[in-house]
Amino acid sequence: MDPATLRLALTVGGLVLAVLLGFGLGRLNPPPNPTRTGSLPVTGEHSHAPGVGAHSHGGVTVTQGGDAGAAGLSISSAGYTLAPSTVEFAPGRAGELRFQIRDERRRAVTRFAAVHDKPLHLVVVRRDLTGYQHLHPTMAADGTWSVPLTLAEPGAWRAYADFTAVADDGRQTALILGADLAAPGGYTPRPLPAPATSATVDGFTVGYAGTPAVGQSVPLRFRVTGPDGAAAPLEPYLGAYGHLVALREGDLGYLHVHPEPVRDGDAVTFWLTAPGPGRYRMFLDFQVGGVVRTAAFTVPVA
Ligand SMILES: [Cu+2]
């Protein structure tokens, strides 16, 4: 090889190396998404301070779409849209909710990352925060989700889809989108129960300690006592020892809550950030003896 050829080979080799390095770095560091804000409720292979936004799970950067404070207020966010095929249900009659999550090109999304053990969580509640249901729809190959659903009483209801969509390029976007459902008939809204730090369900008493504060991630420690008065033997449910959802009175904003994947003695801890003052309704799902029950609390935030 003469010196000129050698120089050329080295230059080309250097360029190829630079391109490969650039490609690799580009893959490791996708450009930040301007819509990303807030924090992501994820457990498992996941570590960051509660309330911290930009982070990665297993090497994949996850973008949190939507609002930093409360989610679920919009049917469309970060290019994704919740598209229900039916929104009207006969009150008290078994029906089926069907919907798709569509991307910015109006294609049904079929790739979702499992978060809290499921690719999509569906929460349904009446506008007065009664009738809470936490469901796990199943997805057909074309991206249509379906789940049996009964809206027990007439009124306007809210459905939230909580999911992490995976784009063609592997980019993940965590979102909570919300849509209204209707159960026609005479609607008599019930007032929110008085604030309390303890609630009972099927003989189980659930209490929590901690005071949510505006704009701060605060730990809430829940304890469940069985009908015999002893600490209930909580079983893992959705990747933690319970699943907590908090909804804001007035606009039904959905709060981001981070579970602590390990127990602290008999207590189960969740980190909650209240986006503003007001009253919130918290729903804790917990599992004992293979049965999931929900305890609900009205929480005032000053
Ligand atoms: Cu769920």
Side-chain angles (χ1 to χ4, degrees):
M1 204 180 279
D2 65 64
T5 310
L6 180 61
R7 214 160 37 235
L8 181 66
L10 285 173
T11 305
V12 170
L15 280 173
V16 168
L17 188 62
V19 167
L20 285 174
L21 275 173
F23 180 67
L25 289 172
R27 283 170 57 88
L28 286 172
N29 302 296
N33 186 321
T35 64
R36 83 139 328 284
T37 49
S39 49
L40 182 74
V42 177
T43 54
E45 70 306 330
H46 162 254
S47 65
H48 61 84
V52 172
H55 58 281
S56 67
H57 299 150
V60 180
T61 296
V62 179
T63 297
Q64 177 69 57
D67 186 275
L73 297 171
S74 178
I75 204 164
S76 201
S77 184
Y80 292 94
T81 300
L82 168 59
S85 56
T86 358
V87 294
E88 204 174 300
F89 291 78
R93 194 129 13 114
E96 187 186 50
L97 177 65
R98 292 160 66 82
F99 61 91
Q100 291 183 334
I101 304 299
R102 301 206 179 119
D103 66 13
E104 69 286 349
R105 291 167 59 192
R106 295 183 174 78
R107 301 173 307 177
V109 177
T110 55
R111 288 177 68 202
F112 295 85
V115 178
H116 300 312
D117 283 353
K118 299 283 180 184
L120 188 142
H121 303 261
L122 185 85
V123 163
V124 177
V125 73
R126 198 168 71 159
R127 279 249 163 222
D128 61 356
L129 293 167
T130 63
Y132 178 86
Q133 302 180 54
H134 176 175
L135 308 168
H136 297 114
T138 51
M139 190 188 74
D142 72 347
T144 301
W145 294 88
S146 59
V147 66
L149 178 67
T150 304
L151 302 184
E153 294 184 272
W157 293 69
R158 191 84 179 150
Y160 305 87
D162 182 343
F163 61 89
T164 295
V166 182
D168 295 339
D169 63 2
R171 202 94 65 86
Q172 298 193 1
T173 305
L175 282 170
I176 300 164
L177 300 178
D180 277 350
L181 306 177
Y187 171 41
T188 311
R190 252 172 251 139
L192 210 58
T197 56
S198 153
T200 54
V201 50
D202 289 350
F204 290 87
T205 301
V206 185
Y208 77 89
T211 307
V214 174
Q216 283 175 50
S217 189
V218 169
L220 300 183
R221 291 196 168 80
F222 289 82
R223 281 196 166 76
V224 182
T225 308
D228 58 358
L234 292 180
E235 294 159 0
Y237 177 60
L238 301 175
Y241 284 95
H243 190 273
L244 184 71
V245 166
L247 302 172
R248 180 163 62 189
E249 181 188 35
D251 67 356
L252 272 64
Y254 188 115
L255 271 56
H256 296 286
V257 173
H258 294 254
E260 203 77 78
V262 290
R263 271 182 299 189
D264 163 16
D266 342 317
V268 186
T269 303
F270 293 86
W271 293 81
L272 184 140
T273 307
R279 293 197 300 174
Y280 296 80
R281 190 77 171 152
M282 284 196 313
F283 302 91
L284 177 75
D285 297 328
F286 62 96
Q287 183 178 310
V288 175
V291 179
V292 178
R293 295 178 175 86
T294 305
F297 309 83
T298 296
V299 183
V301 177

